[in-house]
Amino acid sequence: MLRVENTELVPVEFSTALTNQFADIVSRYPEGKQKSALLPILHLVQAEFGWVSARAMDKVAEYLSIQPVEVYEVATFYTMYFMRPQGKYALEVCRTGPCCLVGAEKIMDHIEQRLGVKEGEVTADGLFSWRGVECLAACGFGPVLQIGPEYTFYEKLTNQSVDQLIEDLKAKANN
Amino acid sequence: MGRKLLLEHINVPGINTFDVYRSKGGYRSVEKALKQLSPEEVVEEVKKSGLRGRGGAGFPTGMKWGFLAKPEGVARYLVCNADESEPGTFKDRYLMTYIPHLLIEGMIVGSYALGAKTSYIYVRGEMMPQIRILEKAIAEARAAGFLGKNILGTGYDLELYVQPGGGAYICGEETALLESLEGKRGNPRIKPPFPAIAGLYGCPTVVNNVESIAAVVPIINDGGEEYAKLGIGRSTGTKLISAGGNLAKPGVYEIDLGLPVEEFLYSDEYCGGIANGKRLKAVVAGGSSVPILPANLFLKTAAGEGRLMSYESLSEGGFATGTMMGSGGFIAFDEDQCIVRNTWNFARFYHHESCGQCSPCREGTGWMEKVLHRLEMGHGTMSDMDLLVDVSKKIEGNTICPLGDAAAWPVASAIRHFRDEFEWHVSHASEAVTRNYGLAHYANPLPKPEPAAS
């Protein structure tokens, strides 16, 4: 299922602004428990680079003074971390029961057709990718989708509102 | 109309800010607890209230607090479980979005009662907007002297942090949550030792759901005995119900426990009936893992009594004819829904979310998903239903954490109550992929048809 991409050639540098944020997170935990910062730091890395590469994970391990495998095993366990590059806007549609009762499957079909790429693939212009995800805890407002890294939420989707959203994002990207 | 304890001020403009929240009597419970009560007295009030854990298990919160070990010189922790991911449940997201200070206030009182100097709110990673809302609320509370060193001059110190998860249902299980908070994979721990003895970083820890912690605020303000007057029997107080699925008015409702199910489902004050004037086919009353019930058994118990929204009434009849309160994730299915497809969907969810630690769950959930998929797609056989029941029985009770049970129950209950629909999927395979089975006899006696939602 999840696979760590071979990206040895992609260099990864963490800016000072980013490592300052890391340090702030590490300060929340008792002395010697800096590994607790791993999940929040991986979120920051993904927000910065769009996904979590093997090189980035190695750097995180170095920063937290833990073994690289401790980062790999965590990053591959949790579904929010992308192990390969995504579109600039990664649409994540809830595909679990309550949302399906109100039409999530049709919304996913529509997105697939509208973007012209299958689940997990990236559009040629690099702007979009999409996938179905499990329950997003918004069952009363379904169908729903979210877009990282802010995880903005779009509720009560219809084919029209999805089209509008895609157009808005295209316009935003071109500005 | 029932009394609102948690959502009383939810519609006040700006209630998400400290100043407005405070002007509505917010943070009174912190003043009362820290200045007038000892930590033991706070725990005593919660015990008296009869509050039961709102995350799904329904274990008495006061008793959980009472179990906390208090060895000298060892840190203790209160961790809030805001990893809300049970399909059907969205009350915690609602509460954190609109009235974040209620949770912060409850966390301060709870931490004081347990003697915690550092507390964490573990929020599922997908709720980044809520994480930012909580962080802002924490900063406001700190600026007003309700967090940090020497709170309100009482000498009590508390730091409160928000921790994001990474998108894993299993981290809603308390020991998996603690593993995750330690920066590891969310694999549940073998118990004992329970978190009350060895939890976060091996220290005594209490893990409570968002709603349980929020409920501590009215309990301290009005007293545990006052809280216990609401509700019915051992189901005291109010409960947030996340109502979703094919309802005219889905949303989060605060109800007095003991409200008749029929009133909750059909009255305009709550769900307003089934959407588009359709009829009710089935209900999942407490989040996807509790047994699904056909409409007739949901509205009335097997003995013919009207069911109530309470822990006891919903579980009346055991698993043969009853269900559970769970987390209050209420999912209504109208007559057009396919039970086989939905059961497959839930089985896929549990397969996806199984952490893979225990073989019965790791292998069994995938097996059930495969069999249900072939039934839904018209390739099933008549022996598949018995196979599913057999697999579900072999998962149930044979795993470290309750995810195995949670995966087994929806499948077993769907076959128990809707076996003829499953059999129809086999006997009418080509038809089953183009149309749904419909209402059949499940709603017998039929609930009264509702006028179409305007």
Side-chain angles (χ1 to χ4, degrees), chain B residues 308-331:
Chain B
L308 308 176
M309 298 291 282
S310 73
Y311 290 94
E312 290 77 23
S313 182
L314 286 174
S315 55
E316 178 85 39
F319 277 7
T321 58
T323 178
M324 283 165 74
M325 181 88 215
S327 59
F330 187 95
I331 313 167

Side-chain angles (χ1 to χ4, degrees), chain B residues 114-421:
Chain B
L114 300 171
K117 304 278 183 207
T118 310
S119 293
Y120 298 96
I121 305 176
Y122 181 100
V123 185
R124 65 178 294 185
E126 289 92 339
M127 294 193 191
M128 284 295 173
Q130 283 69 27
I131 290 173
R132 279 190 291 273
I133 291 169
L134 287 174
E135 280 175 343
K136 178 165 166 279
I138 287 172
E140 287 175 342
R142 168 188 294 275
F146 283 93
L147 279 171
K149 296 256 175 249
N150 193 17
I151 296 170
L152 303 177
T154 58
Y156 175 61
D157 305 336
L158 175 66
E159 292 298 337
L160 184 55
Y161 299 110
V162 185
Q163 173 87 354
Y169 170 74
I170 189 61
C171 291
E173 197 279 337
E174 60 178 5
T175 57
L177 185 150
L178 295 174
E179 287 284 297
S180 180
L181 186 44
E182 291 179 7
K184 302 177 199 157
R185 295 163 69 93
N187 288 341
R189 298 173 182 168
I190 293 173
K191 296 185 266 191
F194 287 90
I197 310 295
L200 184 62
Y201 310 128
C203 302
T205 304
V206 167
V207 183
N208 282 142
N209 177 260
V210 172
E211 190 188 343
S212 312
I213 289 175
V216 170
V217 173
I219 289 170
I220 295 306
N221 280 336
D222 306 337
E225 277 162 17
E226 203 58 34
Y227 185 87
K229 284 180 190 163
L230 294 173
I232 181 166
R234 286 180 54 239
S235 303
T236 59
T238 65
K239 171 96 188 78
L240 298 181
I241 305 287
S242 324
N246 305 118
L247 291 168
K249 293 190 336 184
V252 176
Y253 297 101
E254 182 169 9
I255 61 160
D256 278 9
L257 286 167
L259 181 79
V261 156
E262 196 164 344
E263 186 183 340
F264 179 69
L265 194 55
Y266 288 110
S267 89
D268 277 335
E269 194 185 319
Y270 300 105
C271 304
I274 311 305
N276 306 319
K278 297 223 158 86
R279 288 173 298 176
L280 181 69
K281 178 174 185 175
V283 169
V284 171
S288 64
S289 37
V290 311
I292 186 169
L293 283 184
N296 53 352
L297 269 182
F298 177 66
L299 292 165
K300 286 195 164 58
T301 63
E305 287 161 21
R307 234 182 249 282
L308 308 176
M309 298 291 282
S310 73
Y311 290 94
E312 290 77 23
S313 182
L314 286 174
S315 55
E316 178 85 39
F319 277 7
T321 58
T323 178
M324 283 165 74
M325 181 88 215
S327 59
F330 187 95
I331 313 167
F333 298 73
D334 72 22
E335 55 194 296
D336 293 342
Q337 301 303 337
C338 174
I339 298 298
V340 178
R341 188 169 187 84
N342 183 72
T343 310
W344 163 57
N345 187 303
F346 282 167
R348 181 181 66 179
F349 174 83
Y350 289 107
H351 180 212
H352 184 265
E353 299 299 342
S354 173
C355 79
Q357 205 177 193
C358 314
S359 325
C361 173
R362 181 185 63 234
E363 304 301 327
T365 52
W367 193 358
M368 291 197 301
E369 186 202 337
K370 247 188 248 173
V371 173
L372 283 158
H373 185 257
R374 77 175 175 231
L375 276 167
E376 168 63 13
M377 296 303 162
H379 305 297
T381 64
M382 282 296 178
S383 59
D384 280 348
M385 280 63 85
D386 290 332
L387 173 65
L388 284 170
V389 172
D390 188 45
V391 174
S392 77
K393 276 195 187 137
K394 283 173 179 150
I395 301 175
E396 192 182 343
N398 291 324
T399 53
I400 291 174
C401 85
L403 191 141
D405 301 347
W409 293 341
V411 175
S413 62
I415 293 175
R416 187 181 310 125
H417 299 300
F418 299 89
R419 187 181 265 266
D420 49 352
E421 186 165 343

Side-chain angles (χ1 to χ4, degrees), chain A residues 1 25 27-30 33 35-40 43 70 72-74 76-81 92 95-98 100-102 105 108 133-141 146 149-153 155-156, chain B residues 77 84-85 87-90 93 120 124-129 132 135 161-168 170-171 180-187 201 245-246 250 331-333 337 341-342 345-346 348-349 352-353:
Chain A
M1 215 170 70
I25 291 170
S27 73
R28 299 171 185 174
Y29 314 103
K33 304 295 181 190
K35 192 179 167 183
S36 279
L38 183 51
L39 270 73
H43 279 301
E70 292 180 84
Y72 300 164
E73 65 169 10
V74 163
T76 52
F77 181 87
Y78 295 96
T79 52
M80 287 181 75
Y81 304 117
E92 298 183 301
R95 64 171 193 183
T96 311
C100 286
L101 292 182
V102 289
E105 285 158 327
M108 285 196 282
V133 294
E134 298 298 352
C135 190
L136 295 178
C139 315
F141 323 108
Q146 62 178 14
E150 300 87 10
Y151 291 93
T152 328
F153 226 72
E155 301 172 350
K156 297 193 172 167
Chain B
Y77 294 100
E84 180 174 55
S85 10
T89 314
F90 51 99
R93 170 194 289 275
Y120 298 96
R124 65 178 294 185
E126 289 92 339
M127 294 193 191
M128 284 295 173
R132 279 190 291 273
E135 280 175 343
Y161 299 110
V162 185
Q163 173 87 354
I170 189 61
C171 291
S180 180
L181 186 44
E182 291 179 7
K184 302 177 199 157
R185 295 163 69 93
N187 288 341
Y201 310 128
N246 305 118
I331 313 167
F333 298 73
Q337 301 303 337
R341 188 169 187 84
N342 183 72
N345 187 303
F346 282 167
R348 181 181 66 179
F349 174 83
H352 184 265
E353 299 299 342

Side-chain angles (χ1 to χ4, degrees), chain B residues 18-47:
Chain B
F18 179 85
D19 293 340
V20 175
Y21 181 76
R22 180 86 172 125
S23 74
K24 290 286 169 192
Y27 290 96
R28 264 190 304 145
S29 71
V30 174
E31 290 173 308
K32 183 171 175 188
L34 268 60
K35 290 182 176 167
Q36 297 170 23
L37 302 174
S38 70
E40 292 74 24
E41 284 168 329
V42 176
V43 175
E44 203 46 48
E45 285 304 315
V46 176
K47 277 186 184 164

Side-chain angles (χ1 to χ4, degrees), chain B residues 53-115:
Chain B
R54 300 298 195 222
F59 189 81
T61 305
M63 219 192 274
K64 199 175 195 177
W65 287 13
F67 289 150
L68 187 74
K70 293 178 177 168
E72 276 299 308
V74 179
R76 303 193 281 271
Y77 294 100
L78 172 62
V79 178
C80 174
N81 182 348
D83 188 68
E84 180 174 55
S85 10
E86 174 85 3
T89 314
F90 51 99
K91 63 190 172 69
D92 298 343
R93 170 194 289 275
Y94 184 82
L95 204 133
M96 291 188 287
T97 308
Y98 296 106
I99 188 157
H101 283 286
L102 185 66
L103 176 59
I104 311 290
E105 182 177 354
M107 283 299 286
I108 300 170
V109 176
S111 302
Y112 170 73
L114 300 171

